[in-house]
Amino acid sequence: MQPTVENQKIPVSIEKDERLIIGHMKQFFSNKLALAGTILVAFFVLLAIFAPFIAPYGLNEQIMANRLQPPSGEHWFGTDDFGRDIFSRVVYGARISLWVGFLSVLGSMIVGTLLGVIAGYFGKWIDIIISRIFDIMLAFPSILLAIAVVAILRPSLENALLAIAIINIPTFGRLVRSKVLSVKEEEYVLAARSVGMKHSRILLLHIFPNSLSPIIVQATLAIGTAIIEAAALGFLGLGAKAPAPEWGKMLADARSFLVQAPWTLIFPGIAIMLTVLGFNLMGDGLRDTLDPKMKDTR
């Protein structure tokens, strides 16, 4: 008895896959901007991991006699209005910002991808309902929608993370849906359907793997956006609460000292800018590597 297509194993050349991966890596790291972005992201990730060993002072160590001291050899980024070392707080703040960025994007990516795959593959009324939900969510400015979600749930860092995840779901959903609509018309998918392969296997073996590249690129770019959104919510008092060293909260606390002690505002702002820049440069590099057509249209 001849094995069906569903039960056959498609031979895969491991050597060919390795060459493809190595080729992508060489192309990615040959892009100087992408390399610079990767270095920035790696720097802040290492900063977050080794914060207790890098920070010269405790997270909330207060020395009121040293309040609002300018940058010096003792306090590299100066001190705030409570005499806390700003460099130490910026270093610890990397943990909060990256944690919010990674987890919120992971949540929105999982939910958005699932909904996008279902809408694009099955179509009909399922697609109409999911697409209209996405349209309604995208009709609101993202930060206003996030504020509404946090206001309903109660201001906190965890609820800010949840709000950021929710507002980014339509971005992933629409991206994946458009990719699935294209992939499902490919000959190998039509052949799998014609021999009776189950929908679940088609989605797992054919649709999802061939829709992965834009998801990776969008996730990288979305982390930078999530960090900005978390900082915005923290600045508005809807995110992390004192004394957490969240960068947006640090900016909000420093507003009163913009003229008297501008360093309290400058260094957290630079940390946000460099982190977001790193993820954006890395995302652009991944886009050029994984989807060369995008390079031609830019």
Side-chain angles (χ1 to χ4, degrees):
M1 185 167 85
Q2 295 294 327
T4 64
V5 174
E6 183 176 352
N7 295 324
Q8 289 179 348
K9 297 291 184 180
I10 300 175
V12 177
S13 173
I14 297 177
E15 184 179 352
K16 182 178 178 181
D17 289 344
E18 288 179 350
R19 287 201 302 267
L20 182 63
I21 294 172
I22 293 173
H24 282 326
M25 291 179 65
K26 287 182 178 179
Q27 183 180 350
F28 177 79
F29 287 112
S30 65
N31 185 327
K32 294 181 179 179
L33 291 178
L35 181 60
T38 304
I39 292 172
L40 277 174
V41 170
F43 171 76
F44 280 99
V45 169
L46 292 175
L47 204 66
I49 293 174
F50 297 105
F53 305 100
I54 297 174
Y57 295 90
L59 175 60
N60 294 306
E61 184 177 343
Q62 300 181 17
I63 305 176
M64 294 305 293
N66 292 335
R67 67 188 301 270
L68 298 178
Q69 292 292 312
S72 62
E74 185 179 1
H75 300 284
W76 294 352
F77 289 179
T79 61
D80 63 11
D81 55 319
F82 288 101
R84 297 174 297 193
D85 183 66
I86 294 177
F87 174 74
S88 299
R89 290 179 63 78
V90 168
V91 169
Y92 276 100
R95 286 186 165 186
I96 297 176
S97 294
L98 291 176
W99 177 70
V100 171
F102 281 117
L103 286 187
S104 63
V105 170
L106 178 63
S108 58
M109 181 177 65
I110 291 173
V111 178
T113 299
L114 179 62
L115 293 175
V117 168
I118 293 173
Y121 183 75
F122 292 103
K124 299 180 180 179
W125 63 270
I126 297 178
D127 183 22
I128 293 174
I129 293 175
I130 294 177
S131 296
R132 294 300 77 78
I133 293 175
F134 289 162
D135 291 340
I136 292 171
M137 294 178 68
L138 291 171
F140 296 93
S142 59
I143 189 63
L144 291 181
L145 186 59
I147 290 172
V149 173
V150 174
I152 292 172
L153 296 178
R154 184 179 58 85
S156 70
L157 182 62
E158 292 75 15
N159 289 335
L161 188 156
L162 179 60
I164 295 169
I166 291 173
I167 65 176
N168 284 308
I169 288 174
T171 304
F172 284 97
R174 293 186 65 169
L175 176 69
V176 174
R177 174 185 174 274
S178 63
K179 185 66 176 178
V180 171
L181 287 174
S182 173
V183 172
K184 76 175 186 178
E185 300 301 328
E186 296 289 341
E187 293 182 358
Y188 56 86
V189 176
L190 297 176
R193 285 180 182 172
S194 66
V195 296
M197 182 179 287
K198 295 180 180 178
H199 292 308
S200 58
R201 287 180 61 83
I202 294 175
L203 291 172
L204 290 175
L205 298 179
H206 299 299
I207 301 293
F208 179 71
N210 288 285
S211 305
L212 201 55
S213 295
I215 297 174
I216 294 173
V217 174
Q218 181 58 38
T220 306
L221 296 171
I223 292 174
T225 304
I227 290 173
I228 292 179
E229 290 165 344
L233 292 173
F235 185 83
L236 296 172
L238 298 174
K241 298 298 180 183
E246 196 272 325
W247 292 337
K249 177 62 177 171
M250 291 176 68
L251 291 177
D253 294 339
R255 284 178 299 178
S256 303
F257 310 102
L258 179 59
V259 177
Q260 181 183 0
W263 56 86
T264 59
L265 196 82
I266 291 172
F267 292 110
I270 290 176
I272 295 172
M273 181 196 72
L274 291 178
T275 307
V276 174
L277 177 63
F279 280 107
N280 286 345
L281 292 177
M282 193 167 73
D284 285 342
L286 286 172
R287 180 178 58 191
D288 292 344
T289 301
L290 299 176
D291 193 355
K293 294 179 182 178
M294 293 296 296
K295 188 190 300 185
D296 298 334
T297 58
R298 290 168 61 187

